[in-house]
Amino acid sequence: MRRGFLFFVLVPVFFVACRKSSIMPRSADVLGTVCSVNAFADGSAALYDALFARLRQIDGICSATDAHSELSAVNRAAGERAVSVSGDLFFVVQAALRVSQLTDGAFDCTVGPVVSLWGIGTDHAHVPSDHEREAARSLVDWRDCVLSERDSSVFLTRKGMALDLGGIAKGYAADELAGILRAHNVRRAVIDLGGTIYLFGAKADGTPWRVAVRNPDCPQGEPALMLAAGECAVVTSGGYERYFEQDGRWYPHIFDPRTGVPAQTDVRSVTVVHHSALLADAFSTAFFVLGCEKARLLAESLGIGAVFIAENHVVSTTGDLAQNVVLF
Ligand code: AMP
Ligand code: MG
């Protein structure tokens, strides 16, 4: 599937036939982004209260910037002791380490020191010196994050190590919200956690959900493509989401853990389609780091659906996902 236009990825934007809903959909700033849920006719104040309370709870556990989060407690204890954590944090870190193993470290939730050093998305974003970068990079290694099921603890074995769950926590949160929707017998809903989309249930008219994937070159412009799907998570990682520019160079917020430098591959954006939003989130970040060729091979071997928009404006998909994609 080839297209010669300057189509780049983006954040999925959903187009849904909005039916009369009993209450307006709700949005709020949580998890460092705008989170919204639309449960259409099944939406109620009590439902939205439950959903957003859960989101805030997960944020309070997984946030790398909130000094009171459980994650910050683990980071503060790096090199000193294991910290017993909630089932939420244990589950997310365990899943993150599994994805690290499967991606040979392209996804690495111990990337915290590198994320902090570069400060991309903050007012102190800068290109660090080689010495600083090497010092931060040497602290990144998922194999030095040790879990113990016995006391539900997490231990970062070296001082200065730090977890960062920015590449996976929104996916976990989306799965958790889907669980709440299921428990409330909601028939259909769209969860959008800053571009981590969960399409829940089936549309009332029986047609597939449709998600627009942004053009990475022009995220606010016409989408690059439209993806049709049943109930699933759709998660895009793209360099245009958060980045900074210096001296004519462009630095995205996703790092190659092996170099400590923002990933510079031929992937402009990658969209993963999966029944687990957590896995879709983690793998989309990893695929951005791996580059199209390696990522596609890995996705095929794991049976993960992915749509790549490459540097050279080529759109490619895994498996039979091509039949669900309409290019603009
Ligand atoms: P996403 O937007 O889901 O691709 O995640 C990007 C976020 O994940 C960044 O803002 C960092 O917080 C974190 N991150 C960056 N690089 C990596 C990496 N290689 N592995 C895991 N997390 C990462
Ligand atoms: Mg991710």
Side-chain angles (χ1 to χ4, degrees):
M1 198 186 340
R2 198 181 174 93
R3 190 103 189 237
F5 289 126
L6 51 157
F7 275 166
F8 281 174
V9 169
L10 19 128
V11 181
V13 172
F14 54 87
F15 291 93
V16 177
C18 287
R19 293 170 67 84
K20 194 171 110 230
S21 57
S22 55
I23 186 164
M24 290 294 285
R26 191 178 291 183
S27 296
D29 278 334
V30 199
L31 291 165
T33 189
V34 179
C35 296
S36 65
V37 183
N38 188 346
F40 304 100
D42 295 330
S44 67
L47 174 70
Y48 290 127
D49 286 350
L51 293 169
F52 282 82
R54 181 69 175 126
L55 273 184
R56 285 192 197 89
Q57 183 185 32
I58 293 170
D59 195 14
I61 290 168
C62 296
S63 169
T65 52
D66 175 358
H68 302 293
S69 71
E70 268 188 18
L71 184 120
S72 293
V74 172
N75 290 347
R76 271 195 301 275
E80 289 172 8
R81 61 190 164 79
V83 176
S84 288
V85 299
S86 63
D88 284 317
L89 189 58
F90 193 84
F91 182 84
V92 177
V93 175
Q94 193 171 44
L97 296 179
R98 221 174 287 133
V99 175
S100 296
Q101 193 172 18
L102 289 168
T103 61
D104 198 18
F107 185 87
D108 193 327
C109 65
T110 68
V111 75
V114 168
V115 172
S116 305
L117 175 66
W118 286 75
I120 297 175
T122 71
D123 55 9
H124 58 273
H126 71 294
V127 179
S129 68
D130 288 352
H131 174 72
E132 289 174 314
R133 182 174 51 72
E134 181 49 30
R137 189 212 56 79
S138 70
L139 291 167
V140 177
D141 192 337
W142 60 276
R143 285 160 296 209
D144 293 333
C145 175
V146 179
L147 301 186
S148 165
E149 302 225 12
R150 197 175 40 81
D151 53 358
S152 185
S153 69
V154 182
F155 181 33
L156 298 173
T157 59
R158 289 180 289 138
K159 199 159 184 57
M161 285 184 74
L163 294 173
D164 180 308
L165 297 175
I168 192 171
K170 285 186 286 174
Y172 175 64
D175 286 335
E176 287 299 294
L177 296 197
I180 295 174
L181 294 170
R182 221 164 274 130
H184 282 74
N185 297 316
V186 170
R187 290 164 292 177
R188 61 193 61 90
V190 174
I191 300 165
D192 181 356
L193 311 181
T196 294
I197 311 279
Y198 197 112
L199 307 166
F200 180 86
K203 275 170 65 184
D205 63 5
T207 61
W209 298 105
R210 290 188 303 151
V211 176
V213 175
R214 293 185 200 279
N215 176 341
D217 265 351
C218 182
Q220 306 310 325
E222 184 178 85
L225 55 91
M226 190 73 82
L227 198 59
E231 174 164 334
C232 66
V234 180
V235 182
T236 298
S237 284
Y240 60 89
E241 289 172 324
R242 212 165 345 123
Y243 62 92
F244 84 110
E245 283 175 276
Q246 187 172 302
D247 302 330
R249 280 197 68 182
W250 169 84
Y251 300 94
H253 69 307
I254 300 171
F255 294 90
D256 185 331
R258 289 157 289 203
T259 61
V261 171
Q264 307 281 351
T265 63
D266 57 348
V267 178
R268 293 306 311 270
S269 84
V270 51
T271 299
V272 174
V273 182
H274 202 272
H275 61 85
S276 158
L278 175 143
L279 292 180
D281 192 358
F283 276 104
S284 68
T285 305
F287 290 166
F288 189 89
V289 174
L290 286 171
C292 289
E293 196 48 40
K294 278 190 186 161
R296 192 136 36 75
L297 285 173
L298 181 61
E300 297 275 14
S301 75
L302 296 172
I304 295 173
V307 181
F308 299 92
I309 302 182
E311 277 277 278
N312 48 6
H313 312 153
V314 172
V315 175
S316 58
T317 67
T318 59
D320 53 4
L321 204 56
Q323 65 199 36
N324 296 34
V325 170
V326 177
L327 296 179
F328 275 64

